[in-house]
């Protein structure tokens, strides 16, 4: 049993010696290169360092932490790469972008057309109700409150539909711009720029 525990102790010391054999090389605040067996102090880790083996060979290099500007560029590059990958999943060619654009603009034009039709229908209803109200006034009768309320409600609905039409027009302009950018980028990525 003593031999087994002695062997374990020897292996433990060899493992500790192997760990201690590593050196850490870094530059301190004064610009001096420091070799340290204990590790790199926390205030110097962000500047990067090297790990050396017992023979003085570099076994690992830990690069310096990126500056805020470098970090921002990395984030922008990652966002661009993600965006490009998504574009390439959606479109196999610039023609695919054009087909998607035509479909989207057609859908928006359809919605605008339907909304205009609804607006015209409301105008016709309002004109009929206003004609009825005028008939009451010509006959010297008071216009029923219900009729006045219906006319007001139709005016509000028309205003809402006009806002919807304007929103759809803006969405159409944004879609045109977005598809133009996607067309350009897909062309660049696939070498199909026109």
């Amino acid at each position: 049993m003593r031999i087994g525990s002695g062997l374990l102790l020897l292996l433990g010391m060899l493992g500790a010696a192997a760990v201690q054999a590593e050196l850490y090389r870094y530059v301190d605040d004064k610009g001096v290169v420091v070799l340290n067996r204990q590790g790199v102090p926390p205030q110097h880790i962000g500047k990067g360092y090297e790990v050396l083996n017992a023979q003085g060979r570099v076994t690992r290099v830990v690069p310096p932490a990126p500056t805020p500007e470098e970090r921002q560029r990395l984030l922008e590059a990652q966002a661009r790469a993600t965006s490009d990958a998504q574009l390439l999943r959606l479109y196999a060619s610039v023609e695919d972008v054009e087909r998607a654009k035509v479909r989207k603009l057609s859908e928006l034009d359809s919605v605008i057309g339907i909304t205009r039709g609804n607006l015209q229908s409301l105008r016709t209803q309002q004109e009929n109700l206003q004609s009825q109200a005028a008939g009451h006034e010509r006959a010297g009768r008071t216009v029923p409150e219900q009729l006045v309320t219906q006319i007001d409600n139709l005016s509000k609905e028309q205003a809402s539909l006009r806002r919807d039409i304007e929103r759809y027009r803006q969405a159409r302009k944004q879609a045109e711009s977005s598809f133009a950018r996607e067309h350009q980028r897909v062309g660049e990525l696939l070498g199909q720029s026109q």
Side-chain angles (χ1 to χ4, degrees):
M1 287 301 232
R2 287 194 97 176
I3 294 174
S5 61
L7 183 60
L8 285 175
L9 181 61
L10 179 63
L11 288 174
M13 289 186 340
L14 287 175
V19 170
Q20 288 181 355
E22 284 188 332
L23 287 172
Y24 297 89
R25 181 168 51 194
Y26 62 93
V27 178
D28 69 8
D29 293 332
K30 296 175 186 169
V32 176
V33 176
V34 177
L35 290 174
N36 190 336
R37 290 193 187 280
Q38 307 302 318
V40 180
Q43 67 269 24
H44 298 296
I45 288 177
K47 297 176 189 173
Y49 59 93
E50 296 173 331
V51 180
L52 291 79
N53 64 15
Q55 290 77 34
R57 291 198 179 112
V58 176
T59 59
R60 187 167 48 116
V61 175
V62 177
T67 65
E69 295 82 18
E70 290 171 331
R71 206 173 7 260
Q72 182 63 34
R73 280 194 300 274
L74 285 171
L75 290 173
E76 288 170 2
Q78 287 173 344
R80 182 63 167 214
T82 301
S83 174
D84 288 348
Q86 183 177 0
L87 280 176
L88 292 176
R89 278 193 300 274
L90 288 173
Y91 309 115
S93 66
V94 290
E95 290 80 17
D96 288 348
V97 178
E98 286 304 309
R99 282 191 288 275
K101 174 185 170 184
V102 167
R103 255 190 328 271
K104 182 65 175 177
L105 296 181
S106 176
E107 288 172 14
L108 287 168
D109 289 342
S110 205
V111 169
I112 291 170
I114 290 169
T115 307
R116 283 183 177 153
N118 291 341
L119 181 59
Q120 184 57 44
S121 174
L122 291 178
R123 284 184 190 138
T124 302
Q125 288 177 35
Q126 185 177 17
E127 288 170 5
N128 290 336
L129 293 176
Q130 286 173 333
S131 177
Q132 289 176 26
H136 283 286
E137 288 177 345
R138 279 192 299 274
R141 295 186 303 260
T142 306
V143 178
E145 189 61 37
Q146 177 186 1
L147 193 56
V148 172
T149 302
Q150 286 178 319
I151 292 170
D152 287 344
N153 287 342
L154 287 172
S155 292
K156 291 175 186 172
E157 287 181 47
Q158 288 176 63
S160 175
L161 288 178
R162 282 191 289 274
R163 285 191 300 272
D164 288 346
I165 289 171
E166 184 54 34
R167 196 166 27 94
Y168 297 141
R169 284 182 182 155
Q170 291 303 317
R172 191 181 195 289
K173 285 180 187 176
Q174 290 173 353
E176 286 177 328
S177 296
S178 176
F179 278 110
R181 287 189 304 273
E182 289 177 356
H183 182 277
Q184 174 76 26
R185 187 61 183 154
V186 168
E188 290 169 3
L189 292 171
L190 298 176
Q192 299 177 353
S193 295
Q194 297 174 347

